[in-house]
């Protein structure tokens, strides 16, 4: 089970401050679970994970089997909450280089930008390959994925013919509304549902995340078991609950002018998970002139870039470091007789031992430098941990946002750029 260690924030806050916050966390948790807060029509994600195999999960697994049998490549079309979760999952479990692994279909992501270079590169990657696509959009009207959908649909129809192409198009969207639902119904595509009471950034444990994961060779049932266990464990109403500790600590630090939270990890494959977390907290909390700015860093790489700023820049940030269990298969540093690089003092030491010393040294340095550090210990990197981590952060985010006094489930600010863009593009009605 995930645990949270806040022993490295005591320089900044005192035990008494934490204890005083207990009733606020209690109230926020209750408001969330009882559906009495703002945005309460979007809390369906709270109850998604179950220990039982659902019919939707069976269909997801069956579709994934079919895609894996018929496709060398799989294109996931979506943006924001309809993109970051599946990518985070696949990169954390299968690695950033998952597309070099010949056992699974390649998974590409499209419709998350408007870059010509990225589009042309994708077309090149798909040349000569059998492929299927999964169009993901809750609203079914988002511009970036809509443009990519139109082009990919044509590519499939040209390659396989209109009828056969239909068997390669999978749609994940609202059960009733939107252009995508209408398209799927008219064309007869297989569809999966984003429940109306689950918003984009809280949707990773629906088909949004689970179908791409299954195609990539992650077991969605295992992910859901991890999340279901988290749902049960994190319902506890006390500071024994790591979600409470995390939510309380970050809000206390924010009150002490720590306006930036850096989510850091020593695993490069965690990078995209950081992107998912960034959207979750950024869109949920950043409103009404409030909110902790969510930033991410990959250690040790970013210690050689952001490290200076973290150590000695303006004292407005704190870190949340996600740690995994050490790898079972070790890699040791070997002896070199010439020792020209002067590394023989590390002979026989494992790489993860060196990483551990880097972690301990960095922790001390940053805490000494006035950067409080929250530690999140997450267990082994595996499908269950993934489900647990998603649920942990979603619940913490809902509670944190209510503690901050904002609606965690809307994102009115995202509409501003869209309106300007539509006006400039001459979209009817803008
Ligand atoms: O969290 C959200 O609701 C947003 O980030 C959406 O996921 C994003 O804008 C994409 O929307 P849609 O799924 O409707 O295409």
């Amino acid at each position: 089970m995930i645990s949270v260690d806040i022993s490295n924030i005591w320089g900044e806050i005192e035990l008494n401050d934490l204890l005083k916050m207990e009733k606020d966390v209690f109230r926020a948790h209750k408001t969330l679970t009882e559906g009495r807060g703002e945005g309460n029509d979007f809390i369906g994600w709270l109850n998604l994970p179950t220990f039982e195999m659902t019919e939707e999960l069976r269909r997801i697994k069956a579709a994934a089997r079919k895609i894996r049998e018929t496709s060398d490549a799989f294109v996931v079309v979506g943006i924001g909450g309809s993109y970051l979760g599946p990518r985070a999952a696949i990169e954390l479990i299968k690695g950033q280089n998952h597309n070099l692994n010949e056992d699974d279909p390649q998974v590409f992501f499209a419709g998350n930008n408007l870059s010509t270079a990225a589009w042309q590169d994708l077309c090149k990657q798909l040349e000569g390959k059998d492929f299927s696509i999964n169009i993901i959009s809750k609203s079914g009207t988002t511009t970036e994925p809509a443009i990519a959908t139109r082009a990919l649909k044509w590519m499939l129809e040209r390659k396989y013919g209109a009828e056969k192409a239909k068997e390669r198009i999978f749609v994940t969207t609202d059960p009733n509304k939107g252009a995508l639902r209408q398209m799927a119904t008219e064309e007869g595509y297989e569809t999966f549902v984003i429940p109306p009471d689950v918003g984009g950034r809280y949707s990773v444990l629906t088909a949004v995340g689970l179908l791409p994961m299954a195609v990539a060779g992650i077991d969605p049932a295992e992910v859901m078991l991890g999340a279901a266990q988290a749902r049960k464990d994190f319902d506890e109403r006390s500071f024994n609950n790591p979600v409470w500790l995390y939510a309380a600590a970050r809000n206390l630090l924010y009150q002490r002018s720590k306006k930036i939270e850096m989510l850091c990890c020593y695993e490069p494959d965690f990078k995209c998970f950081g992107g998912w977390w960034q959207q979750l907290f950024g869109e949920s909390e950043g409103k009404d002139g409030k909110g902790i700015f969510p930033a991410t860093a990959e250690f040790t790489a970013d210690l050689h870039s952001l490290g200076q700023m973290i150590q000695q820049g303006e004292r407005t940030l704190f870190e949340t470091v996600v740690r995994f269990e050490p790898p079972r298969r070790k890699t040791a540093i070997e002896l070199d007789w010439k020792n020209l690089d002067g590394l023989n003092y590390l002979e026989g030491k494992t790489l993860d031992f060196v990483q551990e010393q880097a972690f301990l040294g960095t922790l001390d340095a940053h805490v000494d430098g006035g950067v409080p550090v929250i530690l999140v210990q997450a267990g082994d990197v595996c499908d269950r941990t993934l489900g647990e981590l998603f649920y942990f952060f979603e619940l913490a985010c809902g509670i944190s946002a209510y503690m901050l006094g904002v609606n965690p489930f809307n994102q009115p600010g995202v509409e501003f750029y869209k309106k300007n863009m539509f006006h400039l593009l001459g979209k009817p009605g803008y």
Side-chain angles (χ1 to χ4, degrees), residues 78-84 136-145 172-173 180 194 198-203 208 279-280 283-284 409-411 414-415 417-418:
I79 195 165
S82 294
Y83 150 67
L84 290 158
I136 309 176
S137 176
K138 172 96 190 275
S139 63
T141 53
T142 309
T143 311
E144 292 91 333
T172 307
T173 190
L180 191 53
I194 311 175
V198 177
R201 60 187 172 276
Y202 292 86
S203 68
V208 168
Q279 189 215 2
L280 179 68
E283 281 194 354
S284 298
F409 306 117
N410 64 358
Q411 56 284 331
V414 178
E415 296 309 310
Y417 100 88
K418 289 189 195 166

Side-chain angles (χ1 to χ4, degrees), residues 103-117:
D103 297 339
D104 301 307
Q106 292 184 309
V107 180
F108 297 103
F109 294 90
N112 57 70
N113 58 61
L114 293 166
S115 157
T116 305

Side-chain angles (χ1 to χ4, degrees), residues 1-151:
M1 175 174 150
I2 289 174
S3 64
V4 167
D5 172 355
I6 58 165
S7 57
N8 294 292
I9 67 169
W10 294 132
E12 204 63 43
I13 61 166
E14 291 179 4
L15 180 60
N16 222 11
D17 302 323
L18 183 74
L19 296 178
K20 274 196 227 149
M21 201 154 240
E22 197 171 6
K23 62 177 184 325
D24 296 335
V25 196
F26 177 81
R27 204 178 301 128
H29 197 169
K30 193 170 155 72
T31 303
L32 178 68
T33 51
E34 292 183 0
R36 289 188 292 105
E38 261 194 292
N40 57 3
D41 40 352
F42 283 101
I43 55 168
W45 55 273
L46 273 170
N47 304 321
L48 285 173
T50 58
F51 290 105
E52 295 80 43
M53 182 76 142
T54 60
E55 186 47 38
E56 180 86 340
L57 203 48
R58 270 197 201 94
R59 285 184 54 234
I60 288 171
K61 288 182 93 154
R65 257 195 313 274
K66 179 174 155 198
I67 294 164
R68 287 173 66 87
E69 276 163 23
T70 58
S71 309
D72 308 316
F74 180 60
V75 186
V76 180
V77 183
I79 195 165
S82 294
Y83 150 67
L84 290 158
R87 185 161 192 172
I90 292 169
E91 292 201 0
L92 180 60
I93 302 294
K94 292 286 173 175
Q96 291 176 97
N97 293 326
H98 57 90
N99 279 346
L100 301 178
N101 177 1
E102 288 177 0
D103 297 339
D104 301 307
Q106 292 184 309
V107 180
F108 297 103
F109 294 90
N112 57 70
N113 58 61
L114 293 166
S115 157
T116 305
W119 170 253
Q120 290 172 354
D121 183 53
L122 175 68
C123 294
K124 217 159 108 198
Q125 295 297 331
L126 293 176
E127 259 170 39
K129 287 179 186 151
D130 280 316
F131 69 97
S132 302
I133 66 173
N134 180 197
I135 312 155
I136 309 176
S137 176
K138 172 96 190 275
S139 63
T141 53
T142 309
T143 311
E144 292 91 333
I147 291 173
T149 297
R150 177 179 282 209

Side-chain angles (χ1 to χ4, degrees), residues 375-393:
L375 295 175
V376 176
Q377 191 68 45
D380 288 323
V381 179
C382 66
D383 299 359
R384 282 197 193 204
T385 298
L386 179 68
E388 196 188 357
L389 268 176
F390 278 134
Y391 198 83
F392 170 83
F393 281 117

